[in-house]
Amino acid sequence: MSSDLSQKMGEMDISKKVTGSDESADGSIAKPFKTPLAALTASASFIDTASFLIKKAQVADAEPTDYQPLAPTAFKKAKKAFELNLKKSKKHAETQAKESASNLAKQQEEEKRIENSKSIVLVQDPSLPPAKFIKINDAVNYRDQRVNVRGWVHRMRVQGKDFMFIVLRDGTVNLQCIMTDRLCHTYEALTLTLESTVSLFGTIKTVPEGKSAPGGHELIVDHWELVGKAPGDSEAVSNKVSADSDPSIQYAQRHLVIRGDNQSAVLKARSYTLRAFRNHFHSIGYLEVTPPCLVQTMVEGGSTLFSLPYYGEEAYLTQSSQLYLESCVPAMGNVYTISESYRAEKSNTRRHLSEFTHCEIEAGFISFEDLLDTIENTVCGVVDNLLNDPVSRQLIEQLNPTFKSPSRPFMRMKYEDAIIWLNEHNVKREDGNDFEFGDDIPESPERFMTDTINRPILLTHFPGPIKSFYMPKTKGDPRVTDSVDLLMPNVGEIVGGSMRIDNYDDMLNAFKSAGLDPDNYYWYLDLSKYGAFPHGGFGLGVERFLAWITDRYTVKECCLYPRFPGRCQP
């Protein structure tokens, strides 16, 4: 804004300059406005007495003589736009004022309502029949009866001042509950938060036709009590975790994440799966054993051992219970275990865990073909067990609606043929070359092959150098071993197994070739000294099995608190 050439009191000169600014200008020659509208807006209080000037030519250093009055048409246009903006601003201010007044009134009304609610005390109606405490999954047997259910507010919806929907979770299933009138007016009701613990009393009623609710029924509440109130506002559970949270946050808050519909369903499916494995093995005469987790010998590669001090000696967390299971066969017959195994390999993939649940079996007097049949029968038997149970079937259908029991027989493919398949399908090694016999097949090519074939594959006869020391050479082809991996579409390997060396000298040589001290395995060597016998077994990763049947992207979703590189909490 420059001084008017006449220097009249109350006049103001506004300059339009291409390099001017409507944000930082003050109307001087040094800091002119860019547009007439901005100049008029800045001069709103004395717009009728101000002089509005515009530069005649674009010169580097403007002088007062380089300006001329703004054309009347341009001034009229700018003034019209200014007045329109003024009206809009006034209307916006009026709207804001009304909204503020309305919000204040609502806030005051809500504060008054909350204050009045503190005087409302609920008392059970003594004329009602006594309420029987039940678990929600048993509610179908108590329709039209008065019951008491206790659990956590899973979801909640308030409808007006006299109606509340609560979806209650008690760890079994969910139940829709309806509270009306006075039940909604208490201080506890008005400030109720998700994950609060409540005790609800009422009658189980079938939902009206055309409506839906979990289980096909709902609880019409006649009395309720707050047991434990969960935080709200910034500490509300919905602010702690959400479906869009970063995985690191979800793992840190997993104690809350597992309360979600899908995660709780996975853990329930896990429970039924473990029971199904035990039922299957019991049905075929296998006995369960519980081997130790603290060991001083290794089963797999030494680089994957977790070490720890043990009364002045070094000990390890077990990688597998296989060797102990082998020792049990002469004493108990065919055996199995479902226990934890530990691998210190720094593989942070979607199918690896540092601690996992290992289902392992050992069977005596079997052939390699018997072992393959046992793997197939176990997987299919457990799946049948799960699908025949209405509860576990519903859980699987919830998580993986398209899941079907695998067709039998499983495809049987030798390692050597897998190498040929990969090369025929132009799948290369990391160095860009074709796979060769003796190469370890990495996860990605293995998954590609399995997903492309799209059926379970019993991949057999791996070369000895890439498998464990205890696997015997195949008769007729000493290049390979009597070994097998079961590959499942969308997951990859879920089972690894083999026959076991049962000849004392062969076992002794295997220890030496692996660089292991036979003295540390004296008890295991005795198995081939005191009554050697043909035997074999396998190990199945329960989390991988679950990822397969529940269609989970990672095995980390298939255990309670996953342990993997960088994560040992909570």
Side-chain angles (χ1 to χ4, degrees):
M1 219 174 278
S2 64
S3 300
D4 181 22
L5 297 179
S6 61
Q7 297 293 314
K8 291 182 180 180
M9 181 67 68
E11 291 184 351
M12 186 169 295
D13 301 334
I14 308 298
S15 161
K16 180 180 178 182
K17 186 177 180 182
V18 174
T19 56
S21 170
D22 289 345
E23 288 77 31
S24 60
D26 60 10
S28 66
I29 291 177
K31 294 183 178 180
F33 287 100
K34 186 175 182 179
T35 63
L37 178 59
L40 267 66
T41 302
S43 311
S45 59
F46 46 95
I47 192 171
D48 293 327
T49 59
S51 294
F52 298 93
L53 304 180
I54 184 169
K55 193 167 68 171
K56 291 183 292 184
Q58 295 187 27
V59 294
D61 297 313
E63 297 295 335
T65 55
D66 293 323
Y67 289 87
Q68 65 184 18
L70 182 66
T73 54
F75 177 79
K76 185 176 180 181
K77 183 178 179 181
K79 188 174 182 181
K80 186 176 181 180
F82 165 72
E83 290 172 347
L84 181 61
N85 285 348
L86 199 62
K87 289 180 180 179
K88 288 181 179 179
S89 298
K90 184 177 179 181
K91 186 174 182 180
H92 179 70
E94 290 173 350
T95 301
Q96 289 287 91
K98 287 181 180 179
E99 288 181 357
S100 296
S102 176
N103 290 338
L104 179 61
K106 288 180 181 178
Q107 180 182 343
Q108 291 173 342
E109 181 183 357
E110 186 64 19
E111 289 175 353
K112 183 178 179 181
R113 185 181 174 210
I114 290 177
E115 189 61 33
N116 292 338
S117 71
K118 295 178 181 179
S119 63
I120 299 175
V121 179
L122 299 178
V123 179
Q124 286 203 62
D125 185 346
S127 66
L128 294 174
K132 179 179 176 59
F133 171 64
I134 65 167
K135 286 291 186 178
I136 295 176
N137 62 345
D138 202 25
V140 67
N141 298 317
Y142 288 88
R143 289 181 176 179
D144 297 319
Q145 298 183 47
R146 190 166 185 263
V147 299
N148 170 220
V149 291
R150 303 163 195 169
W152 297 266
V153 178
H154 191 58
R155 286 189 290 273
M156 179 175 61
R157 178 164 60 90
V158 177
Q159 190 171 309
K161 296 180 180 180
D162 301 316
F163 212 87
M164 285 180 69
F165 283 100
I166 290 177
V167 175
L168 191 72
R169 184 189 74 246
D170 74 347
T172 59
V173 292
N174 296 342
L175 177 64
Q176 178 172 285
C177 309
I178 298 176
M179 300 202 306
T180 58
D181 301 326
R182 186 177 173 84
L183 299 176
C184 307
H185 300 164
T186 66
Y187 178 77
E188 289 77 11
L190 296 181
T191 59
L192 192 61
T193 52
L194 294 178
E195 293 303 325
S196 291
T197 320
V198 295
S199 178
L200 307 180
F201 300 79
T203 304
I204 300 289
K205 290 289 185 180
T206 303
V207 293
E209 187 175 348
K211 303 291 184 179
S212 64
H217 47 239
E218 57 194 4
L219 180 71
I220 308 302
V221 181
D222 58 53
H223 180 72
W224 76 283
E225 298 168 357
L226 179 66
V227 178
K229 185 177 180 180
D233 301 324
S234 62
E235 283 293 302
V237 68
S238 55
N239 289 327
K240 299 278 280 186
V241 289
S242 70
D244 300 326
S245 298
D246 185 89
S248 62
I249 294 175
Q250 293 196 16
Y251 289 131
Q253 301 295 331
R254 188 154 173 81
H255 57 293
L256 299 176
V257 170
I258 60 176
R259 301 183 182 194
D261 290 332
N262 283 343
Q263 277 302 307
S264 63
V266 171
L267 294 180
K268 290 173 185 177
R270 178 188 173 96
S271 176
Y272 279 92
T273 298
L274 293 174
R275 187 181 73 175
F277 273 108
R278 289 188 166 94
N279 287 344
H280 172 75
F281 289 128
H282 177 75
S283 71
I284 60 174
Y286 281 56
L287 296 181
E288 183 173 9
V289 295
T290 52
C293 286
L294 291 171
V295 300
Q296 290 188 306
T297 54
M298 74 175 192
V299 181
E300 306 297 336
S303 63
T304 69
L305 285 168
F306 282 109
S307 62
L308 70 160
Y310 185 76
Y311 302 110
E313 300 181 83
E314 187 174 34
Y316 311 101
L317 294 176
T318 186
Q319 301 162 312
S320 166
S321 298
Q322 174 198 319
L323 305 188
Y324 293 118
L325 291 180
E326 289 184 55
S327 73
C328 292
V329 176
M332 304 171 63
N334 295 343
V335 293
Y336 77 96
T337 186
I338 299 176
S339 51
E340 300 305 289
S341 288
Y342 304 85
R343 303 284 170 88
E345 56 188 322
K346 295 182 179 179
S347 298
N348 203 356
T349 75
R350 59 178 175 151
R351 71 174 192 175
H352 281 90
L353 289 166
S354 298
E355 177 186 33
F356 65 98
T357 302
H358 211 172
C359 176
E360 300 179 88
I361 72 116
E362 287 295 324
F365 303 104
I366 63 171
S367 67
F368 185 55
E369 287 299 317
D370 292 334
L371 177 63
L372 300 184
D373 290 340
T374 300
I375 294 173
E376 183 175 312
N377 291 337
T378 297
V379 170
C380 292
V382 170
V383 168
D384 289 345
N385 192 303
L386 289 168
L387 296 181
N388 289 335
D389 183 286
V391 177
S392 55
R393 183 185 186 92
Q394 187 277 324
L395 290 168
I396 293 172
E397 289 175 347
Q398 173 188 336
L399 297 164
N400 189 3
T402 61
F403 179 79
K404 293 181 180 178
S405 182
S407 59
R408 304 177 68 173
F410 291 175
M411 181 178 181
R412 300 189 180 190
M413 173 189 285
K414 289 186 177 182
Y415 161 88
E416 187 171 12
D417 293 328
I419 294 294
I420 295 172
W421 190 98
L422 292 171
N423 291 333
E424 287 178 346
H425 289 77
N426 202 32
V427 181
K428 304 294 185 180
R429 300 187 311 195
E430 287 187 359
D431 61 8
N433 295 319
D434 285 348
F435 280 93
E436 297 178 355
F437 186 91
D439 288 339
D440 193 4
I441 303 175
E443 176 186 358
S444 180
E446 179 186 87
R447 286 283 293 272
F448 174 78
M449 181 181 72
T450 309
D451 292 351
T452 302
I453 295 174
N454 197 32
R455 57 181 293 197
I457 302 172
L458 286 164
L459 190 61
T460 67
H461 299 97
F462 291 85
I466 65 173
K467 300 304 278 186
S468 298
F469 65 89
Y470 49 76
M471 298 184 179
K473 295 178 181 179
T474 300
K475 291 179 181 179
D477 190 353
R479 300 177 307 155
V480 298
T481 56
D482 287 341
S483 52
V484 57
D485 287 349
L486 174 60
L487 312 179
M488 282 296 185
N490 300 319
V491 179
E493 179 195 344
I494 66 171
V495 174
S498 75
M499 297 300 289
R500 318 307 191 190
I501 295 175
D502 57 55
N503 178 275
Y504 180 85
D505 291 332
D506 290 345
M507 193 72 252
L508 195 61
N509 289 331
F511 279 123
K512 291 178 180 179
S513 297
L516 300 174
D517 185 354
D519 291 343
N520 294 332
Y521 294 84
Y522 72 92
W523 58 274
Y524 184 70
L525 279 166
D526 279 352
L527 301 182
S528 53
K529 181 188 292 186
Y530 295 92
F533 63 104
H535 61 288
F538 67 80
L540 176 146
V542 172
E543 287 82 8
R544 292 186 184 183
F545 183 90
L546 273 167
W548 169 53
I549 64 172
T550 63
D551 193 27
R552 298 299 95 184
Y553 176 76
T554 170
V555 294
K556 297 179 178 70
E557 297 181 51
C558 299
C559 55
L560 183 58
Y561 293 108
R563 299 295 187 243
F564 51 91
R567 171 63 59 184
C568 199
Q569 284 186 332

